[in-house]
Amino acid sequence: MKQLKQIILYGLLLGGSALFLLPLIWMLSTALKPIEQTMSMPPTWMPYRLYAEWDGDDIPVVLGETVERPTDASEPWVLVRPESDPTAAWRPIQASTLTKRPAPRWMNFINAVKAMKHFGLYLKNTVILCVLTVVGTVLSSALAAYGFSRIDWRGRNKVFLIALATMMIPFPVVMVPLYCLYRSLGWIGTLRPLWVGSFFAGAFNVFLLRQFFMSIPKDLSDAARIDGCGEFRIFWQIIMPLCRPALMVVGLFQFMATWNDFLGPLIYLTDQKDFTLALGLQFFQSQHGGTEWNYLMAASTLVILPIIIIFFIAQKSFVEGISMTGLKG
Amino acid sequence: MTRGERHNLRTGLAFVSPWIIGFLTFTLYPVGVSLYYSLCDYDVLSTPIWVGALNYRDMLTDEIFWKSLRNTFYFAAFSLPLGMVVSLLTAILLNQSIKGRSLFRAIFFIPSLVPVVAGAMVWIWILNGNFGLLNHALRQLGITHPPQWLSDPAWTKPSLILMSLWGVGNTVVIYLAALQDVPRSLYESADIDGASSIRKLWNITIPLISPVIYFNLIMGIIGSLQVFAQPFVMLGGGGPNRSALFYAVYIYQNAFDYRLMGYACAMAWVLFLIVLLLTWIATRSTRHLIYYAGE
């Protein structure tokens, strides 16, 4: 009975994991295939190359038509020619003598980057935005969270309730007025609308950091105050270093949000050279979608990869941060 | 107010000032302006013209508005409960004493980190009617004519719901943290009483993590009614027969394709009211079911 339970448990976990991972594996597999293999029936997981004997050598070949051979009707014959020489004449060979060998096309990544034209600029814009928004969010949210947690001032809790309430407002409500505001400032078509706001503390991050700040004993600040330490110094030299894990979480979440943001760039950016990776990827798909699946998947892989690498580096912060949002909510 | 209190008020406000400035500029001002625009005819280029409640009245007869609302409710009505059940069950599985737990957790979590646009690309490919992985699998199972997921109006919304389940990892981690806080001793005493696994789930686990379930419900309502990027990227302007024209996508179209800024704002306000109403209903109807350890 106990064993049966274990088998079911691991079966479900393995099956579920497979379902969750397959889309990403399929993406990578497609990204490494030549175009004709992306649409082959039945699909193959491992990108391959065909090899055949050619003048005594075993070389990669391109497959041509199937041909009839009256001498041996049961065995299909196919036309092949060397991959390296497109001018060579096709030769018929027995299909069963062809061999498949795994051959991922890493060149697809380079070709996809070239096909996207401004990939380098997209990356640069995205990184600039990530750096600016992470710095802005961490600094401004920490300041505000400090003011909401470690200084007692009249009306503090009422103001904080207002801050919490703003989280309920759906973005579409402020979307048009913000667009008009940035337009009157002449900021449409620049990166500015996408980062300036981050220097003015969003409620969610303030809330997260406030929870953390409150868990630090009050005596610590009081002792420093008695020693004549100014409030900003207490914040900067005592509290901030103690809150490194929470600041990491906020920075990490902001990085992800900026990297992933689609609606913001879609609304505010007009010139292709200012696009972010997310918007650039969508732009590429709208132009080349439905044909060059291998390049589209290679480009998608490149957009996803940094996030996955960061996840493995900062796994602990991710999990702690997400648990924090749920538990304290 | 004593001197100390005044000093505290000044320093407090100084620290909070980034938020105050942000609140005034990026929340209060746009919210007010949005309400005003919603009562105007406005195309960005010329000055707004006051039209009273006309935009709101137009909505009543705008069939596309109703369609987008129905589509959005359809999506939310399936993706939210399904997502909550799948994520809770996954979390319970991951909370068993198993080998390689952190690896499994990472596997379930990673898809939720995938940037929406990139994830949409992957799913466009998987759901491709002819060469997509899903239809290959279905043909293997003997379904000779699997659905054209993204080009058949009947299947666009189920496609997006399926895809939304792929991203539940985030919620799984939240549930997992909550499950780890449930005291072991409760299960041990239940074991002594000979309670079955299902009883333990229903009478111990679910009540004890009910605040987190409630939290995920509210976040789910807010999120699923505003879903934008997936349908926008995968199905352009709403897909075949506008079958995947979601509310937020229609707001975007009104604002930036048709330049009907007033109408877009009015729609946004209706969305806000729907979110508030549903949150209120959810809060009212679950209040007596939620267990708070402190009380």
Side-chain angles (χ1 to χ4, degrees):
Chain A
M1 187 62 199
K2 189 125 194 246
Q3 250 176 345
L4 183 71
K5 226 174 143 184
Q6 287 283 309
I7 290 169
I8 293 173
L9 182 62
Y10 281 98
L12 284 172
L13 279 171
L14 287 171
S17 305
L19 286 179
F20 271 70
L21 274 188
L22 275 185
L24 292 177
I25 296 172
W26 184 239
M27 169 188 78
L28 188 62
S29 156
T30 307
L32 294 169
K33 284 173 182 171
I35 188 71
E36 65 275 6
Q37 282 176 36
T38 62
M39 293 182 255
S40 70
M41 295 272 201
T44 47
W45 287 92
M46 186 40 112
Y48 61 86
R49 256 179 168 165
L50 287 174
Y51 283 77
E53 214 186 280
W54 191 276
D55 298 338
D57 291 322
D58 197 28
I59 57 162
V61 292
V62 180
L63 199 58
E65 295 165 46
T66 309
V67 285
E68 297 273 335
R69 280 265 143 167
T71 48
D72 188 354
S74 63
E75 282 258 6
W77 285 65
V78 288
L79 292 176
V80 295
R81 67 168 156 72
E83 206 180 87
S84 55
D85 181 12
T87 58
W90 295 94
R91 285 186 199 170
I93 65 159
Q94 231 173 325
S96 55
T97 61
L98 282 168
T99 48
K100 273 184 191 179
R101 284 179 215 160
R105 309 276 166 123
W106 298 103
M107 276 300 283
N108 281 357
F109 285 103
I110 294 165
N111 293 335
V113 165
K114 279 188 195 144
M116 272 176 94
K117 286 203 187 84
H118 302 298
F119 187 89
L121 285 175
Y122 299 160
L123 180 66
K124 186 182 121 199
N125 295 329
T126 312
V127 170
I128 290 174
L129 285 175
C130 282
V131 170
L132 287 171
T133 54
V134 167
V135 170
T137 301
V138 169
L139 285 181
S140 63
S141 316
L143 278 170
Y146 187 89
F148 276 124
S149 59
R150 302 199 63 86
I151 304 169
D152 275 319
W153 45 281
R154 197 183 280 193
R156 183 182 83 175
N157 294 342
K158 280 187 194 122
V159 176
F160 187 65
L161 270 183
I162 298 177
L164 287 183
T166 61
M167 284 200 273
M168 289 291 294
I169 301 171
F171 178 70
V173 172
V174 295
M175 180 171 78
V176 167
L178 282 180
Y179 175 83
C180 297
L181 174 72
Y182 292 133
R183 194 172 173 278
S184 64
L185 292 170
W187 286 7
I188 300 302
T190 73
L191 295 181
R192 262 169 261 166
L194 296 169
W195 63 266
V196 170
S198 70
F199 280 79
F200 300 95
F204 177 71
N205 294 316
V206 173
F207 168 75
L208 267 189
L209 288 179
R210 179 177 168 271
Q211 297 296 118
F212 206 89
F213 284 9
M214 287 197 306
S215 66
I216 297 168
K218 257 194 149 46
D219 307 352
L220 212 61
S221 303
D222 289 339
R225 278 187 201 118
I226 289 164
D227 289 346
C229 201
E231 205 64 43
F232 187 77
R233 252 188 86 192
I234 300 176
F235 163 73
W236 192 249
Q237 296 191 339
I238 299 174
I239 305 298
M240 286 290 266
L242 283 174
C243 294
R244 284 261 287 279
L247 297 172
M248 271 282 295
V249 168
V250 168
L252 205 58
F253 282 6
Q254 184 57 51
F255 175 85
M256 302 275 301
T258 307
W259 189 272
N260 298 351
D261 188 20
F262 175 67
L263 181 55
L266 178 70
I267 295 173
Y268 300 127
L269 300 179
T270 47
D271 185 355
Q272 213 192 318
K273 290 188 172 131
D274 294 323
F275 283 5
T276 59
L277 280 173
L279 188 58
L281 183 61
Q282 189 259 346
F283 185 70
F284 177 70
Q285 188 265 338
S286 66
Q287 297 205 314
H288 301 259
T291 48
E292 294 165 317
W293 292 109
N294 48 352
Y295 292 170
L296 185 63
M297 290 302 111
S300 303
T301 309
L302 290 177
V303 174
I304 295 174
L305 202 63
I307 297 288
I308 302 216
I309 292 172
I310 287 176
F311 167 74
F312 280 110
I313 296 170
Q315 193 169 1
K316 238 184 106 197
S317 289
F318 267 105
V319 172
E320 274 170 13
I322 289 180
S323 316
M324 219 152 76
T325 55
L327 285 183
K328 310 278 161 63
Chain B
M1 227 189 267
T2 66
R3 247 182 82 184
E5 278 176 347
R6 226 171 313 157
H7 174 255
N8 274 355
L9 184 62
R10 265 205 307 272
T11 359
L13 287 177
F15 272 97
V16 176
S17 60
W19 175 79
I20 294 177
I21 298 168
F23 170 70
L24 296 176
T25 339
F26 302 110
T27 307
L28 196 61
Y29 163 77
V31 165
V33 170
S34 172
L35 192 58
Y36 169 65
Y37 284 169
S38 80
L39 301 165
C40 291
D41 210 358
Y42 184 43
D43 65 355
V44 189
L45 303 170
S46 41
T47 46
I49 303 159
W50 181 267
V51 292
L54 187 67
N55 287 323
Y56 293 91
R57 256 182 286 149
D58 279 350
M59 256 179 255
L60 295 175
T61 53
D62 179 358
E63 276 176 37
I64 303 171
F65 163 82
W66 288 106
K67 183 151 203 173
S68 71
L69 194 61
R70 275 199 305 274
N71 285 339
T72 308
F73 278 138
Y74 180 115
F75 174 79
F78 284 96
S79 87
L80 183 55
L82 278 175
M84 289 184 70
V85 171
V86 169
S87 53
L88 183 55
L89 290 181
T90 310
I92 289 171
L93 277 183
L94 287 173
N95 197 40
Q96 309 296 317
S97 52
I98 46 170
K99 286 198 193 92
R101 170 152 65 184
S102 59
L103 180 67
F104 280 121
R105 189 180 59 190
I107 290 171
F108 284 101
F109 182 53
I110 282 173
S112 73
L113 294 175
V114 167
V116 176
V117 177
M121 297 305 154
V122 175
W123 281 93
I124 292 176
W125 177 221
I126 288 176
L127 296 169
N128 183 284
N130 300 321
F131 307 108
L133 188 62
L134 182 59
N135 278 0
H136 275 306
L138 291 177
R139 283 193 207 100
Q140 290 292 310
L141 294 172
I143 299 165
T144 44
H145 295 288
Q148 295 289 317
W149 296 95
L150 296 176
S151 48
D152 180 344
W155 288 101
T156 48
K157 285 185 287 286
S159 298
L160 289 164
I161 293 164
L162 176 74
M163 198 187 136
S164 74
L165 291 180
W166 189 53
V168 294
N170 215 312
T171 323
V172 172
V173 175
I174 295 179
Y175 278 133
L176 204 51
L179 288 174
Q180 278 159 5
D181 278 358
V182 177
R184 285 248 150 268
S185 58
L186 288 176
Y187 294 115
E188 281 154 16
S189 14
D191 282 337
I192 293 167
D193 294 341
S196 68
S197 301
I198 291 177
R199 272 221 58 176
K200 281 187 278 183
L201 174 67
W202 196 250
N203 290 334
I204 299 175
T205 313
I206 290 188
L208 279 172
I209 64 165
S210 55
V212 177
I213 298 179
Y214 168 75
F215 170 80
N216 284 331
L217 174 70
I218 300 297
M219 298 314 273
I221 291 174
I222 296 174
S224 60
L225 292 179
Q226 292 184 54
V227 62
F228 174 83
Q230 295 92 328
F232 186 89
V233 172
M234 295 174 73
L235 293 144
N241 199 14
R242 294 207 171 91
S243 57
L245 180 67
F246 286 168
Y247 200 90
V249 177
Y250 192 45
I251 292 181
Y252 173 87
Q253 289 183 342
N254 275 305
F256 300 107
D257 293 344
Y258 317 141
R259 297 267 151 189
L260 297 171
M261 296 296 185
Y263 194 60
C265 286
M267 275 190 71
W269 275 92
V270 170
L271 173 69
F272 191 11
L273 293 179
I274 293 172
V275 167
L276 286 179
L277 183 71
L278 288 179
T279 310
W280 182 74
I281 292 173
T283 308
R284 278 299 297 258
S285 57
T286 57
R287 187 180 285 162
H288 64 285
L289 296 171
I290 297 172
Y291 167 86
Y292 287 105
E295 286 168 19

